Amino acid sequence: MKTRTTSAKGKPLRHGSGKKASSDIPAVQPMSALGDDDRKKLFLHMLQAREFDMAMLRLYRQGRAFGGVYSQIGNEATAVGSAYAMRMSDALFPMHRDIGGHFVRGQSLEALMLNHTARVGSMMRGTDGTGHYADASKKIYGNVSHLGAMIPVAAGYVLSSKMRGEDTVAMTYIGDGGSQVGDFHEAMNFAAVQKLPLVLIVENNQYAYSTPNSEEFACTRLSDRAIGYGCFGETIDGTDVELVYETCRRAVERARAGEGPSIIEAVTMRMRGHAEHDDARYVPKGLVDEWEKRDPIALYQESLLQRGVMTEQEIADLRKQLSEEMNKAIDDAMALPYPPAEEGKKHVFVD
Amino acid sequence: MPVLTFLEAISDALRYEMKRDESVFMLGEDIAEYGGAFKITKGFLEEFGRSRVLNTPISETAILGAAIGAALNGMRPVAEMQFMDFVTNGFNQLVNVASTTAYRWGMGVPMVVRGPAGGGVGGGPFHSRNSEAWFAHTPGLKVVYPAFPADAKGLLISSIRDNNPVVYYEHKGLYRKIREEVPEGEYIVPLGKARIVREGRDASVITYGSMVHESLAAAEDLEKEGVSVEVVDIRTLIPFDEETVLASVRKTNRVLIAHEATLTGGFGGEIAARIADRAFEYLDAPVRRVASFDSPTPFAPTMEKEVLPDRTKILFELRNLLAY
């Protein structure tokens, strides 16, 4: 494997570009912004994401969920840590493996479950599923399946905020696969030229469906692209939630201060197939085993216990509570019918 | 009432809306200092400032994507394609993001994509295309193609105020060729209303864009022979004013459909199907179509004239229709 995969183990990579040299960035950032309450929340949202994921896998295997089920296992720290660095007045444009960010922004489990199972009353009326929805009250604007398409949309969102003198920041996401789509380039170039308050998280989970990094791009790190755009770029360990948070907090601050966009590459591993129909046999077993040791939730749980932020009992209670809430959400959703058929012919336009 | 060219009428509509509503802004290539490739936005930078007359890189995906994002955030962007041909570079943004947002999210995307289209000016394969049928085939987009300066103004104002994405075509051959009196200030032509631009009894030409003028010329030729031809300018493809078209068919019983876009898969086929479906028993002859030959638009003047429809070809088909 390439250096970025191996070097991402253990210590995070830090890589500055654009107007900032990597030497300007201390090797270890103070985490003073996070208190224990924050840490508990980070852990909670990561657990919520994992719990949701496991529930969807169960439903899929039971034939009770249809369409694609895109696991985010392994991505919890990146999705949660990044979204936690935003204000509620900022706008989140997540991708399909960023369910953790929805919980950070206060989206309800019930709403997400209805949406994923296309039941009556779901946020998108059954017109679409997964995390593709938008909820203006929480400033969440989901993705479309065409990778990269929402990066220019997020750029336009904050372009207009900036025109009105507001200090809104947008955070959006792309994978190692989607980073090769032209939209990525056009949007980041435009955002850099306009110095837009945009933070792009590149979730490098090693595979674009079955295609490994080595067949996707030839640069060393995906954050290297920042040099070409004249914006800030950094590559970090995406399994360390506090590191992700701290890195993104700085990117958000830079954005808000008018210093323009950032590309944060968070190195992770997609622990399951592209979607649940895919057994991912193309991934070398040793690679998965290596990343198993770096499960973001297990790592953070250990860290919280060591630091005395939470006790074993508290964590066990929390897991039990989340499991019960999930079972109720599933039962409630499954008790509901699909939307009436005629809904499919409504609202192609707004008034 | 001032007499304006087609181009001036478009500028007038844009200027009027930008003055009236601070959420309206423009983005596109070379639209600021340079005033756009056709000078639609000449003087706009001085009048409205750089943030509302935003020069962009050559990045149609970024232009259209940013317009969508701005529209979702309370603005009414007008995105200029330097030539409508280049909308292909941002196709995904229109057909997958903008067009599905009302349906999936219940949110409007009040944006206009506008720019010069059409042939007859030696533009060759990449500066002549009439791509309106692609977008008419995409549920969730509105498609406008005016033929007269006053309509261009009134329809553009309606397009900007519409809460849905609108693809607005300007035939570049009409920009400086057609002029007429255009109402000053507020002037609205609603989307989805066809206009009978010439009344007639013996046959109907259903048309839009540049072919409205060629059809009117052909109708004048036939008038000298005592034949009365009605010309209906549909003005907007989506929404489509089926009632006005069907009423004309029921009146004249003979129909020719004319558009400059290529024949196969063109919007004329849709119009013909609607007529066959809803007014078959009123027809005294098969519905005929005049459109561009199914080729790219060639560069050489001889070849371009051969593939594009015009007054002569419309006249020829009208005679066939009347002789049936």
Side-chain angles (χ1 to χ4, degrees):
Chain A
M1 293 302 291
K2 287 189 173 184
T3 50
R4 80 188 135 271
T5 305
T6 49
S7 58
K9 289 176 190 167
K11 282 204 167 183
L13 285 168
R14 291 184 182 280
H15 167 61
S17 55
K19 292 188 171 59
K20 305 215 172 195
S22 56
S23 57
D24 294 343
I25 304 157
V28 178
Q29 288 286 328
M31 302 291 181
S32 55
L34 283 177
D36 282 354
D37 282 348
D38 296 307
R39 297 188 171 99
K40 287 178 188 171
K41 281 185 193 163
L42 290 172
F43 187 59
L44 164 69
H45 298 317
M46 288 166 71
L47 281 182
Q48 285 173 312
R50 178 69 58 93
E51 189 72 34
F52 190 82
D53 217 290
M54 299 310 289
M56 287 310 299
L57 300 188
R58 280 202 304 281
L59 288 172
Y60 182 77
R61 288 186 194 131
Q62 293 162 354
R64 294 200 287 171
F66 62 94
V69 169
Y70 302 91
S71 165
Q72 54 80 62
I73 292 174
N75 197 49
E76 291 90 349
T78 297
V80 169
S82 55
Y84 202 77
M86 306 165 71
R87 293 180 187 166
M88 281 306 287
S89 54
D90 295 332
L92 181 75
F93 290 77
M95 286 286 287
H96 52 300
R97 301 193 206 280
D98 297 317
I99 201 75
H102 300 245
F103 290 112
V104 172
R105 311 258 326 153
Q107 191 53 269
S108 78
L109 173 60
E110 292 72 22
L112 288 170
M113 186 55 72
L114 290 185
N115 210 55
H116 277 68
T117 55
R119 300 300 155 139
V120 69
S122 77
M123 286 181 283
M124 291 191 288
R125 303 183 299 113
T127 62
D128 195 1
T130 67
H132 285 190
Y133 76 93
D135 182 345
S137 73
K138 297 183 171 57
K139 293 207 170 186
I140 297 172
Y141 299 90
N143 61 306
V144 299
S145 299
H146 298 67
L147 303 177
M150 297 309 283
I151 310 175
V153 176
Y157 191 95
V158 285
L159 171 73
S160 49
S161 301
K162 191 178 166 190
M163 285 169 69
R164 295 194 296 254
E166 300 159 3
D167 66 354
T168 310
V169 174
M171 190 173 285
T172 189
Y173 299 77
I174 196 69
D176 47 303
S179 295
Q180 318 321 325
V181 175
D183 300 37
F184 177 113
H185 166 68
E186 288 198 17
M188 291 315 293
N189 182 60
F190 178 67
V193 168
Q194 292 292 332
K195 279 205 172 296
L196 298 180
L198 180 70
V199 179
L200 175 67
I201 313 296
V202 178
E203 299 169 328
N204 182 353
N205 64 13
Q206 312 306 318
Y207 282 86
Y209 207 140
S210 73
T211 305
N213 276 184
S214 60
E215 292 171 41
E216 294 181 72
F217 53 91
C219 52
T220 306
R221 297 169 190 154
L222 287 168
S223 62
D224 289 347
R225 305 231 174 124
I227 298 166
Y229 300 126
C231 69
F232 194 91
E234 193 167 357
T235 291
I236 57 166
D237 177 357
T239 65
D240 179 340
V241 67
E242 291 194 12
L243 173 67
V244 172
Y245 164 77
E246 186 57 31
T247 307
C248 293
R249 186 183 63 77
R250 280 185 277 113
V252 167
E253 280 175 9
R254 282 194 302 271
R256 214 182 304 282
E259 294 177 40
S262 297
I263 298 174
I264 310 293
E265 180 189 21
V267 181
T268 62
M269 178 68 196
R270 196 192 69 204
M271 297 303 285
R272 301 188 62 84
H274 168 66
E276 279 314 296
H277 64 272
D278 169 23
D279 62 11
R281 257 182 282 183
Y282 44 81
V283 178
K285 174 133 190 354
L287 184 62
V288 178
D289 292 344
E290 275 304 302
W291 282 90
E292 282 284 3
K293 295 173 197 158
R294 297 176 52 211
D295 178 278
I297 291 178
L299 288 175
Y300 201 46
Q301 177 166 314
E302 188 56 32
S303 164
L304 293 182
L305 288 171
Q306 275 184 7
R307 287 185 282 176
V309 178
M310 293 183 84
T311 64
E312 296 267 13
Q313 188 58 48
E314 283 171 334
I315 289 172
D317 290 347
L318 178 60
R319 285 179 180 272
K320 184 161 177 290
Q321 181 200 334
L322 291 179
S323 175
E324 285 167 5
E325 286 172 4
M326 183 59 66
N327 288 336
K328 182 174 185 313
I330 292 172
D331 290 346
D332 289 351
M334 292 297 134
L336 290 169
Y338 294 126
E342 61 270 22
E343 277 294 305
K345 292 183 174 177
K346 292 180 182 169
H347 307 302
V348 175
F349 293 99
V350 296
D351 291 334
Chain B
M1 237 189 287
V3 172
L4 300 183
T5 63
F6 198 94
L7 187 144
E8 288 164 344
I10 290 165
S11 296
D12 187 42
L14 290 169
R15 184 176 275 113
Y16 181 75
E17 283 302 279
M18 286 183 71
K19 275 187 190 164
R20 194 189 67 88
D21 181 354
E22 281 202 347
S23 70
V24 179
F25 75 100
M26 292 194 61
L27 70 170
E29 295 154 15
D30 308 296
I31 66 168
E33 281 86 354
Y34 192 65
F38 289 86
K39 306 297 173 196
I40 293 268
T41 53
K42 187 168 174 239
F44 277 44
L45 175 65
E46 293 74 12
E47 192 169 350
F48 300 108
R50 192 165 296 281
S51 77
R52 294 182 70 198
V53 187
L54 186 69
N55 260 350
T56 68
I58 302 174
S59 299
E60 282 77 11
T61 288
I63 294 168
L64 296 176
I68 294 167
L72 287 170
N73 196 8
M75 306 298 279
R76 291 188 177 274
V78 179
E80 175 168 303
M81 296 288 100
Q82 195 159 76
F83 285 82
M84 259 326 218
D85 305 67
F86 302 135
V87 76
T88 50
N89 286 358
F91 197 65
N92 182 45
Q93 290 294 331
L94 274 180
V95 304
N96 285 312
V97 186
S99 76
T100 64
T101 303
Y103 190 64
R104 299 184 310 125
W105 293 355
M107 292 181 191
V109 179
M111 65 183 279
V112 177
V113 185
R114 50 152 291 274
V121 297
F126 309 115
H127 290 76
S128 305
R129 192 183 282 275
N130 290 289
S131 55
E132 65 274 13
W134 296 344
F135 300 112
H137 192 62
T138 303
L141 299 177
K142 295 189 177 181
V143 182
V144 178
Y145 208 145
F148 296 94
D151 280 351
K153 175 175 177 177
L155 287 166
L156 184 50
I157 289 176
S158 290
S159 298
I160 292 169
R161 296 183 193 178
D162 201 284
N163 288 325
N164 298 279
V166 179
V167 189
Y168 180 99
Y169 285 84
E170 302 159 8
H171 196 290
K172 65 179 83 68
L174 304 182
Y175 268 161
R176 293 181 173 87
K177 186 167 124 190
I178 305 294
R179 61 180 69 223
E180 68 174 356
E181 286 193 337
V182 176
E184 285 182 273
E186 179 88 1
Y187 180 63
I188 290 172
V189 175
L191 305 186
K193 294 283 178 206
R195 175 181 159 211
I196 297 166
V197 292
R198 181 190 172 95
E199 299 236 14
R201 298 178 308 274
D202 301 324
S204 298
V205 184
I206 314 299
T207 183
Y208 60 89
S210 64
M211 286 303 113
V212 174
H213 302 284
E214 301 297 314
S215 301
L216 284 170
E220 277 171 30
D221 293 342
L222 284 175
E223 191 180 19
K224 291 166 196 152
E225 301 169 22
V227 178
S228 165
V229 174
E230 179 148 299
V231 178
V232 180
D233 176 4
I234 63 169
R235 302 195 287 194
T236 66
L237 287 72
I238 308 291
F240 177 58
D241 183 359
E242 193 175 275
E243 284 316 304
T244 300
V245 169
L246 293 180
S248 181
V249 172
R250 290 184 188 118
K251 183 168 95 173
T252 66
N253 313 116
R254 290 171 196 270
V255 192
L256 175 75
I257 299 162
H259 56 56
E260 193 185 290
T262 50
L263 182 74
T264 303
F267 197 68
E270 178 62 29
I271 298 172
R274 304 268 188 122
I275 292 168
D277 190 31
R278 317 250 160 103
F280 183 73
E281 59 274 26
Y282 289 90
L283 292 174
D284 289 343
V287 175
R288 301 198 71 87
R289 286 183 291 161
V290 173
S292 274
F293 180 76
D294 285 332
S295 71
T297 308
F299 179 50
T302 46
M303 294 163 69
E304 187 180 26
K305 186 166 170 42
E306 177 67 16
V307 305
L308 291 185
D310 60 12
R311 168 191 197 156
T312 310
K313 290 170 190 170
I314 292 168
L315 192 57
F316 179 78
E317 285 301 334
L318 272 172
R319 289 189 200 284
N320 284 340
L321 181 71
L322 291 158
Y324 183 85

